């Protein structure tokens, strides 16, 4: 019997060990206030190949990367993947706890990933380029998941 063809296999992803630790802590800290976002990020971390920070190729999306991608509608976007406290859509900074932010994490140039928006609509994106690759920084505090003073996103 064939598997459901509606659920394509997710592409392999790579995450540096510092980002992995920081994002795991973030997801656990967000579990009570943002359970769906937390679960989505934890699932991505679980399936990631974790490597040393210096072994993450430059073509891989990591925290702080500026990424050019194309949507399934043909639109091109340029965004920077950030922790929630630094998110600002007007500046093109998207949180890793958003569905699209989680989808971008760990992808390489040329990879395509499906994702489900908060309104349950299905989308696809393809990474065209990783314009900038930031180096991992010190671990954020426990409240790193909070968006500029907001305590709850339910």
């Amino acid at each position: 019997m064939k598997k459901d063809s509606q659920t394509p296999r997710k592409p392999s992803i790579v995450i540096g060990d510092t980002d992995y630790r920081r994002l795991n802590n973030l997801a656990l800290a967000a579990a009570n206030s943002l359970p769906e976002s937390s679960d989505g990020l934890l699932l991505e971390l679980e399936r990631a190949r974790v490597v040393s920070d210096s072994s993450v190729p430059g073509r891989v999306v990591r925290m702080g990367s500026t990424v050019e991608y194309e949507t399934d509608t043909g639109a091109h976007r340029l965004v920077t993947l950030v922790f929630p406290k630094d998110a600002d859509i007007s500046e093109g900074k998207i949180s890793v706890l958003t569905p699209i932010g989680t989808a971008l994490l760990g992808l390489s140039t040329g990879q395509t990933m499906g994702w489900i928006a908060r309104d349950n609509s299905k989308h696809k994106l393809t990474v065209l380029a990783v314009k900038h690759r930031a180096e991992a920084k010190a671990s954020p505090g426990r409240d790193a998941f909070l968006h500029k003073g907001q305590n709850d996103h339910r």
Side-chain angles (χ1 to χ4, degrees):
M1 190 150 106
K2 282 184 134 183
K3 285 190 174 192
D4 183 5
S5 61
Q6 298 297 316
T7 310
R9 214 168 89 140
K10 290 184 176 184
S12 60
I13 59 173
V14 176
I15 298 177
D17 56 359
T18 300
D19 278 350
Y20 177 84
R21 285 192 309 272
R22 293 170 71 198
L23 292 169
N24 192 62
N25 288 339
L26 170 67
L28 294 174
N32 288 330
S33 61
L34 301 167
E36 288 180 23
S37 297
S38 172
D39 289 348
L41 181 54
L42 286 170
L43 287 171
E44 288 301 288
L45 293 172
E46 188 175 288
R47 69 182 199 84
R49 182 169 59 96
V50 180
V51 300
S52 68
D53 292 336
S54 62
S55 296
V56 178
R59 69 184 186 281
V60 171
V61 179
R62 63 188 293 174
M63 295 308 297
S65 293
T66 298
V67 184
E68 181 181 2
Y69 67 91
E70 181 177 27
T71 68
D72 47 353
T73 63
H76 285 242
R77 304 271 191 261
L78 186 67
V79 299
T80 301
L81 187 63
V82 299
F83 284 91
K85 68 179 182 67
D86 299 318
D88 186 339
I89 197 66
S90 68
E91 293 181 14
K93 296 177 181 178
I94 62 166
S95 169
V96 70
L97 282 181
T98 62
I100 197 163
T102 300
L104 284 167
L105 181 66
L107 291 179
S108 296
T109 303
Q111 285 185 308
T112 299
M113 176 75 158
W115 59 281
I116 299 174
R118 290 188 173 137
D119 66 359
N120 286 324
S121 59
K122 293 182 181 182
H123 302 277
K124 277 195 235 180
L125 61 84
T126 301
V127 175
L128 301 175
V130 178
K131 302 282 188 180
H132 173 261
R133 190 181 117 199
E135 294 304 317
K137 295 178 184 159
S139 178
R142 183 163 173 83
D143 291 333
F145 70 93
L146 297 179
H147 285 273
K148 297 182 180 174
Q150 292 180 309
N151 292 325
D152 196 344
H153 295 280
R154 284 184 268 182

